[in-house]
């Protein structure tokens, strides 16, 4: 699966989940618990969308998830940016 085949919705949901996860850093107590719930909700939305997409397109759920995570966490440089 290439980046061009990944729906923007999946990219957006994974970015949202990653942002919520990053916000856990440095929190404790009730603040941590509340943020953990927000992260879990965002993560669940991402995983549900991945499952739906994989089922609809008859592709491997694992491959879809890994392609999205790679696109979000390790994006390829824009055209022409590699040599800079």
């Amino acid at each position: 699966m290439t980046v061009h085949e990944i729906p923007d919705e999946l990219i957006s949901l994974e970015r949202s989940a990653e942002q919520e996860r990053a916000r856990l850093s440095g929190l404790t107590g009730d603040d941590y618990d509340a943020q953990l719930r927000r992260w879990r909700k965002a993560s669940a939305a991402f995983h549900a969308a991945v499952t739906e997409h994989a089922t609809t397109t008859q592709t491997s759920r694992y491959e879809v998830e890994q392609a999205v995570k790679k696109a979000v966490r390790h994006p390829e440089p824009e055209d022409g940016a590699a040599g800079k």
Side-chain angles (χ1 to χ4, degrees):
M1 172 172 283
T2 66
V3 174
H4 302 293
E5 297 171 350
I6 300 170
D8 291 340
E9 176 191 12
L10 294 180
I11 297 288
S12 178
L13 287 168
E14 173 60 5
R15 282 186 180 141
S16 177
E18 278 298 292
Q19 289 169 350
E20 295 299 342
R21 183 194 57 78
R23 290 183 181 122
L24 286 166
S25 180
L27 297 178
T28 59
D30 290 341
D31 291 336
Y32 181 87
D33 293 341
Q35 185 58 40
L36 184 62
R37 285 190 295 275
R38 286 190 286 275
W39 173 45
R40 286 182 176 163
K41 183 177 179 181
S43 182
F46 167 68
H47 287 280
V50 166
T51 299
E52 181 179 338
H53 179 75
T55 301
T56 301
T57 60
Q58 296 182 341
T59 55
S60 164
R61 188 202 171 287
Y62 175 79
E63 288 178 13
V64 172
E65 180 179 349
Q66 293 308 305
V68 175
K69 288 184 176 190
K70 180 180 179 186
V72 170
R73 297 175 187 181
H74 308 287
E76 294 181 11
E78 296 289 328
D79 289 342
K84 292 182 182 179

Coordinates of all heavy atoms in Angstrom, one line a residue:
M1 N 0.9 -1.2 0.0 CA 0.0 0.0 0.0 C 0.9 1.2 0.0 O 1.8 1.3 0.8 CB -0.9 0.0 1.2 CG -1.7 1.3 1.4 SD -2.9 1.2 2.7 CE -4.2 0.2 1.9
T2 N 0.6 2.2 -0.9 CA 1.4 3.4 -1.0 C 0.7 4.5 -0.3 O -0.5 4.4 0.0 CB 1.7 3.8 -2.4 OG1 0.4 4.2 -3.0 CG2 2.3 2.7 -3.2
V3 N 1.4 5.6 0.0 CA 0.9 6.7 0.7 C -0.3 7.3 -0.1 O -1.3 7.7 0.5 CB 1.9 7.8 0.9 CG1 1.3 9.1 1.4 CG2 3.0 7.3 1.8
H4 N -0.2 7.2 -1.4 CA -1.3 7.7 -2.3 C -2.6 6.9 -2.1 O -3.7 7.4 -2.5 CB -0.9 7.8 -3.7 CG 0.4 8.6 -3.9 ND1 0.4 10.0 -3.8 CD2 1.6 8.2 -4.3 CE1 1.6 10.4 -4.0 NE2 2.4 9.4 -4.3
E5 N -2.5 5.7 -1.7 CA -3.7 4.9 -1.5 C -4.3 5.0 -0.1 O -5.4 4.4 0.1 CB -3.3 3.4 -1.8 CG -2.8 3.1 -3.2 CD -2.3 1.7 -3.3 OE1 -2.1 1.0 -2.3 OE2 -2.0 1.3 -4.4
I6 N -3.7 5.7 0.8 CA -4.2 5.8 2.1 C -5.2 7.0 2.2 O -4.8 8.1 1.9 CB -3.0 6.1 3.1 CG1 -2.0 4.9 3.1 CG2 -3.6 6.3 4.5 CD1 -0.8 5.2 3.9
P7 N -6.4 6.7 2.6 CA -7.4 7.8 2.8 C -6.9 8.9 3.8 O -6.3 8.5 4.8 CB -8.6 7.1 3.3 CG -8.4 5.6 2.9 CD -7.0 5.4 3.0
D8 N -7.2 10.1 3.4 CA -6.8 11.2 4.3 C -7.4 11.1 5.7 O -6.8 11.5 6.7 CB -7.3 12.5 3.7 CG -6.5 12.9 2.5 OD1 -5.4 12.4 2.3 OD2 -7.0 13.8 1.7
E9 N -8.6 10.5 5.8 CA -9.3 10.3 7.1 C -8.4 9.4 8.0 O -8.3 9.7 9.2 CB -10.6 9.6 6.9 CG -11.3 9.3 8.2 CD -12.5 8.4 8.1 OE1 -12.8 7.8 7.0 OE2 -13.2 8.3 9.1
L10 N -7.8 8.4 7.5 CA -6.9 7.5 8.3 C -5.7 8.3 8.8 O -5.3 8.1 9.9 CB -6.5 6.2 7.5 CG -7.7 5.3 7.2 CD1 -7.1 4.1 6.4 CD2 -8.4 4.8 8.4
I11 N -5.1 9.1 7.9 CA -4.0 9.9 8.3 C -4.4 10.8 9.4 O -3.7 11.0 10.4 CB -3.4 10.7 7.1 CG1 -2.9 9.7 6.0 CG2 -2.3 11.6 7.5 CD1 -1.6 9.0 6.3
S12 N -5.5 11.5 9.2 CA -6.0 12.5 10.2 C -6.2 11.8 11.6 O -5.9 12.3 12.6 CB -7.2 13.1 9.7 OG -7.7 14.0 10.6
L13 N -6.9 10.6 11.6 CA -7.2 9.9 12.8 C -5.9 9.5 13.5 O -5.8 9.6 14.7 CB -8.1 8.7 12.5 CG -9.5 9.1 12.2 CD1 -10.3 7.8 11.7 CD2 -10.3 9.7 13.4
E14 N -4.9 9.0 12.8 CA -3.7 8.6 13.4 C -2.9 9.8 14.0 O -2.3 9.7 15.1 CB -2.8 7.8 12.4 CG -1.4 7.4 12.9 CD -1.3 6.6 14.2 OE1 -2.4 6.1 14.7 OE2 -0.2 6.4 14.7
R15 N -2.9 10.9 13.2 CA -2.2 12.1 13.8 C -2.9 12.5 15.0 O -2.2 12.9 16.0 CB -2.3 13.2 12.7 CG -1.3 13.0 11.6 CD -1.2 14.2 10.7 NE -0.2 14.0 9.7 CZ -0.3 14.3 8.4 NH1 -1.4 15.0 8.0 NH2 0.6 14.1 7.6
S16 N -4.2 12.5 15.1 CA -4.9 12.9 16.3 C -4.6 12.0 17.5 O -4.3 12.5 18.6 CB -6.4 12.8 16.0 OG -7.2 13.1 17.2
A17 N -4.5 10.7 17.2 CA -4.2 9.7 18.3 C -2.8 10.0 18.8 O -2.5 10.0 20.0 CB -4.4 8.3 17.8
E18 N -1.8 10.2 17.9 CA -0.5 10.5 18.2 C -0.3 11.8 19.0 O 0.4 11.9 20.0 CB 0.4 10.6 17.0 CG 0.9 9.2 16.5 CD 1.7 8.5 17.6 OE1 2.8 8.9 17.8 OE2 1.2 7.5 18.1
Q19 N -1.1 12.8 18.7 CA -1.1 14.1 19.4 C -1.6 13.9 20.8 O -1.0 14.4 21.8 CB -1.9 15.1 18.7 CG -1.2 15.6 17.4 CD -2.2 16.5 16.6 OE1 -3.4 16.6 16.8 NE2 -1.6 17.1 15.5
E20 N -2.7 13.1 21.0 CA -3.2 12.8 22.3 C -2.3 12.0 23.1 O -2.1 12.3 24.3 CB -4.6 12.1 22.2 CG -5.7 12.9 21.5 CD -6.1 14.2 22.2 OE1 -5.7 14.3 23.4 OE2 -6.7 15.0 21.6
R21 N -1.6 11.1 22.5 CA -0.6 10.3 23.2 C 0.6 11.2 23.7 O 1.0 11.1 24.9 CB 0.0 9.2 22.4 CG 1.0 8.3 23.1 CD 1.8 7.4 22.1 NE 2.5 8.1 21.1 CZ 3.7 8.8 21.3 NH1 4.2 8.8 22.5 NH2 4.2 9.4 20.4
A22 N 1.0 12.1 22.9 CA 2.1 12.9 23.2 C 1.8 13.9 24.4 O 2.7 14.2 25.2 CB 2.5 13.8 22.0
R23 N 0.5 14.2 24.5 CA 0.1 15.1 25.6 C 0.1 14.4 27.0 O 0.0 15.0 28.0 CB -1.3 15.6 25.3 CG -1.3 16.6 24.2 CD -2.7 17.1 24.0 NE -2.7 18.0 22.8 CZ -3.5 17.9 21.8 NH1 -4.4 16.9 21.7 NH2 -3.4 18.8 20.8
L24 N 0.4 13.1 27.0 CA 0.5 12.4 28.3 C 1.8 12.7 29.0 O 1.8 12.6 30.3 CB 0.4 10.9 28.1 CG -0.9 10.3 27.7 CD1 -0.7 8.8 27.2 CD2 -1.8 10.3 28.9
S25 N 2.8 13.1 28.3 CA 4.1 13.4 28.9 C 4.0 14.5 30.0 O 3.5 15.5 29.8 CB 5.0 13.9 27.8 OG 6.3 14.1 28.3
G26 N 4.5 14.1 31.1 CA 4.6 15.0 32.2 C 3.3 15.1 33.1 O 3.4 15.8 34.1
L27 N 2.3 14.5 32.7 CA 1.0 14.5 33.5 C 1.1 13.5 34.6 O 1.7 12.4 34.4 CB -0.2 14.3 32.6 CG -0.4 15.3 31.5 CD1 -1.7 14.9 30.7 CD2 -0.6 16.7 32.1
T28 N 0.3 13.8 35.6 CA 0.2 12.8 36.7 C -1.2 12.9 37.3 O -2.0 13.8 37.0 CB 1.2 13.1 37.9 OG1 0.9 14.4 38.4 CG2 2.6 13.0 37.5
G29 N -1.6 11.9 38.0 CA -2.9 11.9 38.7 C -4.1 12.0 37.8 O -4.2 11.3 36.8
D30 N -5.0 12.8 38.2 CA -6.3 13.0 37.5 C -6.1 13.5 36.1 O -6.8 13.2 35.1 CB -7.2 13.9 38.2 CG -7.8 13.2 39.5 OD1 -7.7 12.0 39.6 OD2 -8.3 14.0 40.4
D31 N -5.1 14.4 35.9 CA -4.8 15.0 34.6 C -4.3 13.9 33.7 O -4.7 13.8 32.5 CB -3.7 16.1 34.7 CG -4.2 17.3 35.4 OD1 -5.4 17.6 35.4 OD2 -3.4 18.1 35.9
Y32 N -3.5 13.0 34.1 CA -3.0 11.9 33.4 C -4.1 10.9 33.0 O -4.3 10.5 31.8 CB -1.9 11.1 34.1 CG -1.4 9.9 33.3 CD1 -0.3 10.1 32.5 CD2 -2.0 8.6 33.5 CE1 0.2 9.0 31.8 CE2 -1.5 7.6 32.8 CZ -0.4 7.7 31.9 OH 0.1 6.7 31.2
D33 N -5.0 10.6 34.0 CA -6.1 9.7 33.7 C -7.1 10.3 32.7 O -7.5 9.6 31.8 CB -6.9 9.5 35.0 CG -6.1 8.7 36.0 OD1 -5.1 8.0 35.6 OD2 -6.4 8.7 37.2
A34 N -7.3 11.6 32.7 CA -8.2 12.2 31.8 C -7.6 12.2 30.4 O -8.3 11.9 29.4 CB -8.5 13.7 32.2
Q35 N -6.3 12.5 30.3 CA -5.6 12.5 29.0 C -5.5 11.1 28.4 O -5.7 10.9 27.2 CB -4.3 13.1 29.1 CG -3.5 13.3 27.8 CD -4.3 14.1 26.8 OE1 -5.0 15.1 27.1 NE2 -4.3 13.7 25.5
L36 N -5.3 10.1 29.3 CA -5.3 8.7 28.9 C -6.6 8.3 28.2 O -6.6 7.6 27.2 CB -4.9 7.8 30.0 CG -4.8 6.3 29.7 CD1 -3.6 6.1 28.8 CD2 -4.6 5.6 31.0
R37 N -7.7 8.7 28.8 CA -9.0 8.5 28.2 C -9.1 9.1 26.9 O -9.7 8.5 25.9 CB -10.1 8.9 29.2 CG -10.3 8.0 30.4 CD -11.6 8.3 31.1 NE -11.5 9.7 31.7 CZ -11.0 9.9 32.9 NH1 -10.4 8.9 33.6 NH2 -11.0 11.1 33.4
R38 N -8.7 10.4 26.7 CA -8.7 11.0 25.4 C -7.9 10.3 24.4 O -8.3 10.1 23.2 CB -8.3 12.5 25.5 CG -9.3 13.4 26.2 CD -9.0 14.8 26.1 NE -7.9 15.2 27.0 CZ -8.0 15.6 28.3 NH1 -9.2 15.6 28.8 NH2 -7.0 15.9 29.0
W39 N -6.7 9.8 24.8 CA -5.8 9.1 23.8 C -6.5 7.8 23.4 O -6.5 7.4 22.3 CB -4.5 8.8 24.5 CG -3.6 7.9 23.7 CD1 -3.4 8.0 22.3 CD2 -2.8 6.8 24.1 NE1 -2.5 7.0 21.9 CE2 -2.2 6.2 23.0 CE3 -2.7 6.2 25.4 CZ2 -1.3 5.1 23.1 CZ3 -1.8 5.2 25.5 CH2 -1.2 4.6 24.4
R40 N -7.0 7.0 24.4 CA -7.7 5.8 24.1 C -8.9 5.9 23.2 O -9.1 5.1 22.3 CB -8.1 5.1 25.4 CG -7.0 4.5 26.2 CD -7.4 3.8 27.4 NE -6.3 3.2 28.1 CZ -6.3 2.8 29.3 NH1 -7.4 2.9 30.1 NH2 -5.2 2.2 29.9
K41 N -9.6 7.0 23.4 CA -10.8 7.3 22.5 C -10.3 7.6 21.1 O -10.8 7.0 20.1 CB -11.6 8.5 23.0 CG -12.8 8.8 22.2 CD -13.6 9.9 22.8 CE -14.8 10.2 22.0 NZ -15.6 11.4 22.6
A42 N -9.2 8.4 20.9 CA -8.7 8.7 19.6 C -8.1 7.5 19.0 O -8.3 7.2 17.7 CB -7.6 9.8 19.7
S43 N -7.4 6.6 19.7 CA -6.8 5.4 19.2 C -7.9 4.4 18.8 O -7.8 3.8 17.7 CB -5.9 4.8 20.3 OG -5.3 3.6 19.8
A44 N -8.9 4.3 19.5 CA -10.0 3.4 19.2 C -10.7 3.8 17.9 O -11.0 3.0 17.0 CB -11.1 3.3 20.3
A45 N -10.9 5.2 17.7 CA -11.4 5.7 16.5 C -10.6 5.3 15.3 O -11.0 4.9 14.2 CB -11.7 7.2 16.6
F46 N -9.2 5.5 15.4 CA -8.3 5.1 14.4 C -8.4 3.7 14.0 O -8.5 3.3 12.9 CB -6.9 5.5 14.8 CG -5.8 4.9 13.9 CD1 -5.7 5.3 12.6 CD2 -5.0 3.9 14.4 CE1 -4.7 4.7 11.7 CE2 -4.0 3.3 13.6 CZ -3.9 3.7 12.2
H47 N -8.4 2.8 15.0 CA -8.4 1.4 14.8 C -9.7 0.9 14.2 O -9.7 0.0 13.3 CB -8.1 0.6 16.1 CG -6.7 0.7 16.5 ND1 -5.7 -0.1 15.9 CD2 -6.0 1.5 17.4 CE1 -4.5 0.2 16.5 NE2 -4.7 1.1 17.3
A48 N -10.8 1.5 14.6 CA -12.1 1.2 13.9 C -12.1 1.6 12.5 O -12.6 0.8 11.6 CB -13.2 1.8 14.7
A49 N -11.5 2.7 12.2 CA -11.5 3.2 10.8 C -10.6 2.3 9.9 O -10.8 2.0 8.8 CB -11.0 4.6 10.7
V50 N -9.4 1.9 10.5 CA -8.5 1.0 9.8 C -9.2 -0.4 9.5 O -9.1 -0.9 8.4 CB -7.2 0.7 10.6 CG1 -6.4 -0.5 10.1 CG2 -6.4 2.0 10.6
T51 N -9.9 -0.9 10.5 CA -10.6 -2.2 10.3 C -11.7 -2.0 9.2 O -11.8 -2.9 8.3 CB -11.3 -2.6 11.6 OG1 -10.2 -2.8 12.6 CG2 -12.1 -3.9 11.4
E52 N -12.4 -0.9 9.2 CA -13.5 -0.7 8.2 C -12.8 -0.6 6.8 O -13.3 -1.2 5.9 CB -14.3 0.5 8.5 CG -15.4 0.8 7.5 CD -16.2 2.0 7.9 OE1 -16.2 2.5 9.0 OE2 -16.8 2.6 7.0
H53 N -11.8 0.2 6.7 CA -11.1 0.3 5.4 C -10.5 -1.0 4.9 O -10.7 -1.3 3.7 CB -10.0 1.4 5.5 CG -9.2 1.6 4.2 ND1 -9.8 2.3 3.2 CD2 -8.0 1.1 3.8 CE1 -8.9 2.3 2.2 NE2 -7.8 1.6 2.6
A54 N -9.9 -1.8 5.8 CA -9.3 -3.0 5.4 C -10.4 -4.0 4.9 O -10.3 -4.7 3.9 CB -8.5 -3.6 6.5
T55 N -11.5 -4.0 5.6 CA -12.7 -4.9 5.2 C -13.2 -4.5 3.9 O -13.5 -5.3 3.0 CB -13.7 -4.8 6.3 OG1 -13.2 -5.3 7.6 CG2 -14.9 -5.7 6.0
T56 N -13.5 -3.2 3.7 CA -14.0 -2.6 2.5 C -13.2 -2.9 1.3 O -13.6 -3.3 0.2 CB -14.3 -1.1 2.6 OG1 -15.2 -0.9 3.7 CG2 -14.9 -0.5 1.4
T57 N -11.9 -2.7 1.5 CA -10.9 -2.9 0.3 C -10.4 -4.3 0.3 O -9.6 -4.6 -0.6 CB -9.8 -1.9 0.5 OG1 -9.1 -2.1 1.7 CG2 -10.3 -0.5 0.4
Q58 N -10.8 -5.2 1.2 CA -10.3 -6.6 1.2 C -8.8 -6.6 1.2 O -8.1 -7.4 0.5 CB -10.9 -7.4 0.1 CG -12.4 -7.5 0.1 CD -12.9 -8.3 -1.0 OE1 -12.3 -8.6 -2.0 NE2 -14.2 -8.8 -0.8
T59 N -8.2 -5.8 2.1 CA -6.7 -5.8 2.3 C -6.4 -6.2 3.8 O -7.3 -6.2 4.6 CB -6.1 -4.4 2.0 OG1 -6.8 -3.4 2.8 CG2 -6.3 -4.0 0.6
S60 N -5.2 -6.5 4.0 CA -4.8 -6.8 5.3 C -4.9 -5.7 6.3 O -4.4 -4.6 6.0 CB -3.3 -7.3 5.3 OG -2.7 -7.3 6.6
R61 N -5.6 -5.9 7.4 CA -5.7 -4.8 8.4 C -4.4 -4.4 8.9 O -4.1 -3.2 9.1 CB -6.6 -5.3 9.6 CG -7.0 -4.2 10.5 CD -7.3 -4.8 11.9 NE -7.5 -3.7 12.8 CZ -6.4 -3.0 13.3 NH1 -5.2 -3.2 12.9 NH2 -6.6 -2.0 14.1
Y62 N -3.5 -5.4 9.1 CA -2.2 -5.1 9.6 C -1.4 -4.2 8.6 O -0.8 -3.2 9.0 CB -1.4 -6.4 9.9 CG 0.0 -6.2 10.3 CD1 0.4 -5.8 11.6 CD2 1.1 -6.3 9.3 CE1 1.7 -5.6 11.9 CE2 2.4 -6.1 9.7 CZ 2.7 -5.7 11.0 OH 4.0 -5.5 11.3
E63 N -1.5 -4.5 7.4 CA -0.8 -3.7 6.3 C -1.3 -2.3 6.2 O -0.5 -1.4 6.1 CB -0.8 -4.4 5.0 CG 0.0 -5.7 4.9 CD -0.1 -6.4 3.6 OE1 -0.6 -5.9 2.6 OE2 0.4 -7.6 3.6
V64 N -2.6 -2.2 6.4 CA -3.2 -0.8 6.3 C -2.7 0.0 7.5 O -2.2 1.1 7.4 CB -4.8 -0.9 6.3 CG1 -5.4 0.5 6.5 CG2 -5.3 -1.6 5.1
E65 N -2.8 -0.6 8.7 CA -2.4 0.1 9.9 C -0.9 0.5 9.8 O -0.5 1.6 10.1 CB -2.6 -0.8 11.1 CG -2.2 -0.1 12.4 CD -2.4 -0.9 13.7 OE1 -3.1 -1.9 13.6 OE2 -1.9 -0.5 14.7
Q66 N 0.0 -0.4 9.4 CA 1.4 -0.1 9.3 C 1.7 1.0 8.3 O 2.5 1.8 8.5 CB 2.2 -1.4 9.0 CG 2.1 -2.4 10.2 CD 2.5 -1.8 11.5 OE1 3.6 -1.2 11.6 NE2 1.7 -1.9 12.5
A67 N 1.0 0.9 7.1 CA 1.2 1.9 6.1 C 0.8 3.3 6.6 O 1.5 4.3 6.4 CB 0.4 1.6 4.9
V68 N -0.3 3.4 7.4 CA -0.7 4.7 7.9 C 0.3 5.2 8.9 O 0.7 6.3 8.9 CB -2.2 4.6 8.5 CG1 -2.5 5.9 9.2 CG2 -3.2 4.2 7.5
K69 N 0.7 4.3 9.8 CA 1.6 4.7 10.9 C 2.9 5.2 10.3 O 3.5 6.1 10.7 CB 1.8 3.6 11.9 CG 0.6 3.4 12.8 CD 0.8 2.4 13.8 CE -0.4 2.3 14.7 NZ -0.2 1.5 15.9
K70 N 3.4 4.5 9.3 CA 4.6 4.9 8.6 C 4.5 6.2 7.9 O 5.4 7.1 8.1 CB 5.0 3.8 7.6 CG 6.3 4.2 6.8 CD 6.7 3.2 5.8 CE 8.0 3.6 5.1 NZ 8.3 2.7 4.0
A71 N 3.3 6.5 7.3 CA 3.1 7.7 6.6 C 3.0 8.9 7.6 O 3.5 10.0 7.3 CB 1.8 7.7 5.8
V72 N 2.5 8.6 8.8 CA 2.4 9.7 9.8 C 3.7 9.9 10.6 O 4.1 11.0 10.8 CB 1.2 9.4 10.8 CG1 1.2 10.3 12.0 CG2 -0.1 9.4 10.1
R73 N 4.3 8.8 11.0 CA 5.5 8.9 11.9 C 6.8 9.1 11.1 O 7.7 9.6 11.7 CB 5.5 7.7 12.7 CG 4.3 7.5 13.7 CD 4.3 6.3 14.4 NE 3.1 6.1 15.2 CZ 2.8 5.1 16.0 NH1 3.7 4.1 16.1 NH2 1.7 5.0 16.6
H74 N 6.8 8.6 9.9 CA 8.1 8.7 9.1 C 7.7 9.2 7.7 O 7.9 8.4 6.7 CB 8.8 7.3 9.0 CG 9.0 6.7 10.4 ND1 9.9 7.2 11.3 CD2 8.3 5.7 11.0 CE1 9.9 6.5 12.4 NE2 8.9 5.6 12.3
P75 N 7.2 10.4 7.5 CA 6.8 10.8 6.2 C 8.0 11.0 5.3 O 9.1 11.3 5.7 CB 6.2 12.2 6.5 CG 6.7 12.6 7.8 CD 7.0 11.4 8.6
E76 N 7.7 10.7 4.0 CA 8.8 10.9 3.0 C 8.9 12.4 2.7 O 7.9 13.1 2.7 CB 8.4 10.1 1.7 CG 8.4 8.6 2.0 CD 8.1 7.8 0.7 OE1 8.0 8.4 -0.4 OE2 7.8 6.6 0.9
P77 N 10.1 12.8 2.4 CA 10.3 14.2 2.1 C 9.5 14.6 0.8 O 9.3 13.8 -0.1 CB 11.8 14.4 1.8 CG 12.4 13.1 2.0 CD 11.3 12.1 2.3
E78 N 9.1 15.9 0.8 CA 8.4 16.4 -0.4 C 9.4 16.4 -1.6 O 10.6 16.3 -1.5 CB 8.0 17.9 -0.2 CG 7.0 18.1 1.0 CD 5.7 17.6 0.6 OE1 5.3 17.7 -0.5 OE2 5.0 17.1 1.6
D79 N 8.8 16.3 -2.8 CA 9.6 16.3 -4.0 C 10.6 17.5 -4.0 O 10.2 18.6 -3.7 CB 8.8 16.4 -5.3 CG 8.0 15.1 -5.5 OD1 8.4 14.1 -4.9 OD2 7.0 15.1 -6.3
G80 N 11.9 17.2 -4.2 CA 12.9 18.2 -4.3 C 13.5 18.6 -3.0 O 14.5 19.3 -2.9
A81 N 12.9 18.0 -1.9 CA 13.4 18.4 -0.5 C 14.5 17.4 -0.1 O 15.2 17.7 0.9 CB 12.3 18.4 0.5
A82 N 14.7 16.3 -0.8 CA 15.7 15.3 -0.4 C 17.1 15.8 -0.4 O 17.9 15.4 0.3 CB 15.5 14.0 -1.2
G83 N 17.4 16.7 -1.4 CA 18.8 17.2 -1.5 C 19.1 18.4 -0.7 O 20.2 18.9 -0.8
K84 N 18.2 18.8 0.1 CA 18.4 20.1 0.9 C 18.9 19.8 2.2 O 18.7 18.8 2.8 CB 17.1 20.9 1.0 CG 16.7 21.4 -0.4 CD 15.5 22.3 -0.3 CE 15.1 22.8 -1.7 NZ 14.0 23.6 -1.7

